[in-house]
Amino acid sequence: MSAAPQPLRANPFRDNMTMLRRNLLHARRYPSLTLNLLLTPVILLLLFVYVFGNVMSAGINGGHADRSDYVAYLVPGILFLTVAMTSLGTAVSVCTDMTEGIMARFRTMAISRASVLIGHVAGSVIKTMTALVLVLGIGLAIGFRPNATPVEWIAAAGLMALVSLGLTWLAVGMGLVSPNPEGASNIGTPLVMLPFLSSAFVPVDAMPGWFRWFAEYQPFSPAIETLRGLLLGSGIGTKNAVLAVAWFVGMSLLGYLWSKSQFNREPKR
């Protein structure tokens, strides 16, 4: 008698790479969402530098207007705004897979369940880091002049990757609980608004006292100040570095657990 066929077994590494490749191919074939999300940070960078640059720099420098100083101040904040905007695209992409039944199909296949989510997250982080290189290139073209050692550049890249990882896991959870892609875009709006309420555009010290505590301790301000210190050679400060790492490691862990629990639930649609 012939032996019964052996059931297919999941290979987590192979499945992760397959799902990563799927998401990167999808982004390459349908780049409009990523480009639309990338356009907003670029427009804001150019707007604040060339329209408000002299006024903003005068406020920061005690009345002395120097646009180049404001470019140095602004670019790190715009980089993290880019991360937030790109993570919003992940929420929409995950929700699209849910509403089109692709997630339900993946549940029936002999693959590692975690690979479905990991593919989205890894693909998003790669796309985000690519977008950051493009935005940084525009910053360099308009006068941003970093003063960082190779070690500081590596630390800066690691910080931006960590922020991207934390926001992306949260975005995956948002996409899983949203009823449609439009809802996913709306529910992710707070992630995009937080950089505007941080030290990205103006120093925390210039904000009203009743609001200053929130701006100082919310996730983006410590990360932005740490990145400024790394790229401009001004020192990162222990408090900012610890707060930034704690915030986004916590986001990564909570986002992963939330996304995993939502994905393992029986679909309602």
Side-chain angles (χ1 to χ4, degrees):
M1 295 179 63
S2 59
Q6 295 295 318
L8 294 175
R9 294 183 179 180
N11 183 320
F13 177 77
R14 180 195 63 201
D15 297 339
N16 289 341
M17 297 305 296
T18 300
M19 290 299 168
L20 171 60
R21 181 173 178 271
R22 170 189 177 265
N23 283 282
L24 292 178
L25 286 174
H26 189 271
R28 189 181 71 180
R29 291 172 181 170
Y30 306 99
S32 57
L33 177 61
T34 301
L35 291 176
N36 287 338
L37 294 174
L38 181 61
L39 190 61
T40 299
V42 171
I43 290 175
L44 287 174
L45 174 61
L46 298 177
L47 176 67
F48 272 83
V49 169
Y50 290 107
V51 178
F52 306 127
N54 286 333
V55 174
M56 301 296 278
S57 65
I60 293 174
N61 294 330
H64 174 64
D66 187 342
R67 183 178 292 161
S68 62
D69 286 347
Y70 190 62
V71 172
Y73 184 87
L74 180 65
V75 168
I78 292 294
L79 290 174
F80 281 122
L81 178 61
T82 304
V83 176
M85 294 293 297
T86 309
S87 69
L88 187 62
T90 304
V92 175
S93 178
V94 169
C95 187
T96 300
D97 280 354
M98 287 288 291
T99 56
E100 293 181 351
I102 297 174
M103 290 292 192
R105 174 58 178 156
F106 285 151
R107 286 190 177 96
T108 67
M109 298 173 64
I111 61 174
S112 168
R113 282 199 162 198
S115 68
V116 180
L117 303 182
I118 291 173
H120 271 289
V121 172
S124 178
V125 171
I126 291 173
K127 288 183 288 185
T128 299
M129 298 306 288
T130 303
L132 288 172
V133 172
L134 295 176
V135 174
L136 181 59
I138 294 172
L140 293 172
I142 64 174
F144 180 60
R145 296 295 179 262
N147 181 28
T149 65
V151 173
E152 289 171 332
W153 274 110
I154 293 172
L159 175 62
M160 288 186 283
L162 175 61
V163 173
S164 176
L165 185 66
L167 294 180
T168 300
W169 273 118
L170 286 181
V172 169
M174 292 175 181
L176 291 172
V177 302
S178 298
N180 50 58
E182 291 79 12
S185 179
N186 292 333
I187 198 175
T189 301
L191 291 181
V192 179
M193 291 304 299
L194 276 178
F196 292 95
L197 306 177
S198 71
S199 60
F201 298 96
V202 296
V204 172
D205 293 342
M207 298 178 182
W210 59 269
F211 181 74
R212 190 177 304 161
W213 67 271
F214 172 80
E216 183 175 358
Y217 291 102
Q218 61 122 313
F220 280 95
S221 288
I224 291 170
E225 294 303 322
T226 301
L227 185 62
R228 282 196 182 110
L230 289 170
L231 295 183
L232 301 177
S234 57
I236 61 175
T238 302
K239 183 184 78 170
N240 285 327
V242 170
L243 280 175
V245 172
W247 266 116
F248 290 101
V249 167
M251 281 189 190
S252 300
L253 179 59
L254 292 176
Y256 167 75
L257 295 175
W258 180 34
S259 300
K260 183 179 178 182
S261 68
Q262 292 297 322
F263 183 74
N264 289 333
R265 293 175 61 185
E266 289 299 321
K268 297 181 180 180
R269 53 183 186 272

